[in-house]
Amino acid sequence: MSSIAQQKKIVEQLRSEASMARKPVSECVKDMIGFMNSNKDKDFLVSGFASKKDNPFQEKGGCLLL
Amino acid sequence: MEDDQPCEEELKLVAEIKEMKARIRTARKEAADADYVTETENLPPLGRLKFKVRKELHGHLAKLTDLHWGKNSDTLVTAGQDGKLFVWDVYKCMKQNAVFLNTAWVMAVSFSPDNTRVASGGLDNILSIHNLEEPEGGTPIELSGHDGYIASIRFTDASHCVTSSGDKSCALWDLQAGKIVHQFLGHENDVNALALASHSQHFASASSDKTAKLWDLREQHCRATYWGHELDVNGVDYFPQCDYAFATSSDDGSCRMWDIRADQMLANLGDDFIQCGSTCVAVSRSGRLVMAGYDDYNCHVWDLLLEERIGIMLGHDNRISCIGSQWIAVATGAWDNNSFIWTAK
């Protein structure tokens, strides 16, 4: 493709990207915070485990009584 | 007039490109009715998080380059430059499956949605599909189409994949037809990573041209380009489920969160403590945490809302190359030949 043809394509692509409808940042942030709050209890990286037994990756230690 | 002087038409087009980019910048500014820091600064902080290695997956004899969690988060597939894929039962810490690749230089691996197959690709430029229901993956289906290395792969459904490549393109493959059915062109340099939206309607790519791009899979075009990183962008992961946004990691040492609907960067995760590039990034399942791997052998845990580093994952002895998050745990892979599974506390 010639340089002129390539540049015409770039102009068209940028025109299309420019024309998208954008949502205000305030609404977007509000929605993100809402999602995080609704899901934080299930996100065990944020909330941790209530007890070690709840962590399926917890090493099972302890001793055997012979 | 000499042949190598730009003609009037070319000059006009260069000016139009400049004008279009200015138009995009203005439109993004107009959508910024609020400042991210101000909107989030009064939220309660999470405090310091302690991440601990719970499982160590030893077996690869060379650097790990990629990993992918299985659909129930009880399996993980890892790819190493020993030319092997291992499918791990992460609880028993054992290999369920091993695939011996025709090339050592694998860079990308992905489970199929039902986990019966894995796809791999790398410096051989070939997309290989392995059947886990056959011993050692069976005879791979090998698909050509890219003119450069395959850096990243994801299945959009049982019979289609998207890939990103060193040939500067991303591609949508029809696996039954055995070929690329659409090429996503636009990046000006290697496309190092891709991430798929949860409903497979769009995907995001990260490139050495310092941008990330958003691609629409149904209409098969580029929807947006995100400028801001100062060096190669090499990792990308979506904000979970609702796909409002995605995070990127870059050689410039920062990770950034880009909001798709506001069409701009919201969060910039970096500070003076970090003096090296970030190599890979994962968002936790509530969206609150961003975990990123770095060249200095560490992973850092970021609070996405307050843009603060709140945890560090120490354990690897070399550069972190890949990371993946699920509800309970994070998996990392590194150039120390190991993969670790981490949980908080």
Side-chain angles (χ1 to χ4, degrees):
Chain A
M1 200 189 297
S2 76
S3 173
I4 289 191
Q6 270 173 330
Q7 286 181 307
K8 278 190 178 164
K9 277 216 153 197
I10 292 174
V11 170
E12 281 319 300
Q13 174 57 38
L14 286 170
R15 197 186 298 274
S16 150
E17 290 181 29
S19 68
M20 75 167 273
R22 292 167 181 83
K23 212 168 165 132
V25 164
S26 59
E27 273 181 57
C28 295
V29 177
K30 201 156 151 262
D31 288 346
M32 272 175 80
I33 294 173
F35 182 90
M36 290 179 195
N37 286 335
S38 318
N39 286 278
K40 71 169 183 239
D41 291 336
K42 291 188 282 177
D43 184 346
F44 290 97
L45 298 173
V46 170
S47 53
F49 296 97
S51 84
K52 282 189 177 175
K53 276 184 282 197
D54 296 334
N55 181 351
F57 290 102
Q58 178 70 42
E59 302 83 33
K60 288 161 185 32
C63 314
L64 277 179
L65 282 174
L66 297 172
Chain B
M1 188 153 57
E2 291 168 4
D3 285 340
D4 55 356
Q5 293 280 50
C7 66
E8 203 180 300
E9 198 183 355
E10 278 181 320
L11 289 171
K12 216 173 119 200
L13 287 167
V14 166
E16 271 192 86
I17 287 172
K18 209 171 155 194
E19 192 211 315
M20 288 297 139
K21 286 187 178 176
R23 206 185 278 190
I24 291 172
R25 285 195 183 93
T26 305
R28 284 171 171 168
K29 277 210 183 83
E30 284 169 8
D33 64 332
D35 168 65
Y36 187 74
V37 173
T38 320
E39 296 291 292
T40 56
E41 64 192 355
N42 291 321
L43 295 166
L46 294 175
R48 201 90 200 134
L49 296 183
K50 288 191 168 63
F51 276 50
K52 199 172 163 193
V53 175
R54 294 294 179 189
K55 301 290 177 186
E56 298 190 13
L57 306 177
H58 299 296
H60 282 291
L61 299 175
K63 297 171 178 170
L64 263 67
T65 52
D66 201 10
L67 58 79
H68 190 211
W69 280 102
K71 65 176 187 207
N72 295 324
S73 299
D74 52 6
T75 54
L76 185 78
V77 63
T78 56
Q81 296 205 324
D82 50 2
K84 301 194 182 102
L85 305 178
F86 291 136
V87 178
W88 304 86
D89 175 325
V90 293
Y91 294 118
K92 294 189 189 141
C93 223
M94 277 168 37
K95 301 188 199 77
Q96 281 183 341
N97 260 315
V99 176
F100 302 104
L101 301 171
N102 288 332
T103 174
W105 312 114
V106 59
M107 297 171 68
V109 71
S110 176
F111 273 115
S112 64
D114 65 1
N115 290 187
T116 59
R117 290 164 295 155
V118 281
S120 66
L123 289 181
D124 58 349
N125 303 359
I126 291 173
L127 176 63
S128 297
I129 313 290
H130 315 274
N131 185 348
L132 292 176
E133 291 172 330
E134 288 183 45
E136 294 172 10
T139 308
I141 297 167
E142 294 181 314
L143 304 177
S144 305
H146 274 303
D147 290 326
Y149 64 82
I150 293 178
S152 203
I153 306 167
R154 280 293 179 261
F155 280 77
T156 55
D157 62 37
S159 57
H160 294 83
C161 279
V162 280
T163 51
S164 79
S165 172
D167 69 10
K168 307 181 195 171
S169 78
C170 296
L172 175 66
W173 299 75
D174 180 325
L175 300 176
Q176 284 167 347
K179 59 183 187 166
I180 291 175
V181 290
H182 186 80
Q183 273 193 309
F184 296 90
L185 303 174
H187 276 302
E188 294 171 13
N189 210 321
D190 298 14
V191 194
N192 302 310
L194 73 87
L196 192 60
S198 55
H199 301 297
S200 295
Q201 291 178 353
H202 43 89
F203 71 94
S205 61
S207 170
S208 291
D209 68 8
K210 307 183 204 171
T211 73
K213 283 182 187 280
L214 178 70
W215 307 88
D216 192 307
L217 274 165
R218 286 176 308 172
E219 293 175 23
Q220 296 184 345
H221 68 228
C222 176
R223 277 169 43 179
T225 304
Y226 304 91
W227 313 302
H229 276 301
E230 294 166 22
L231 288 174
D232 302 23
V233 195
N234 46 41
V236 58
D237 193 26
Y238 266 86
F239 191 88
Q241 282 180 49
C242 51
D243 302 328
Y244 291 152
F246 61 89
T248 53
S249 57
S250 167
D251 280 348
D252 69 13
S254 74
C255 292
R256 302 185 191 214
M257 177 68 79
W258 312 87
D259 191 292
I260 288 171
R261 298 172 310 163
D263 187 41
Q264 56 194 275
M265 184 189 88
L266 290 187
N268 188 341
L269 308 172
D271 61 32
D272 295 331
F273 181 78
I274 291 169
Q275 291 290 319
C276 64
S278 176
T279 59
C280 52
V281 68
V283 185
S284 76
R285 296 297 84 200
S286 69
R288 183 68 190 258
L289 302 180
V290 170
M291 283 125 337
Y294 294 80
D295 283 329
D296 66 357
Y297 313 174
N298 298 322
C299 293
H300 293 286
V301 182
W302 295 85
D303 177 341
L304 174 63
L305 287 181
L306 297 175
E307 295 177 289
E308 280 175 350
R309 260 182 319 110
I310 58 172
I312 187 168
M313 294 157 67
L314 296 168
H316 281 294
D317 291 327
N318 210 319
R319 186 178 197 252
I320 313 300
S321 57
C322 44
I323 192 167
S325 179
Q326 41 103 326
W327 289 102
I328 304 173
V330 186
T332 53
W335 282 8
D336 62 5
N337 307 357
N338 296 321
S339 174
F340 292 154
I341 310 289
W342 312 69
T343 61
K345 292 190 215 171

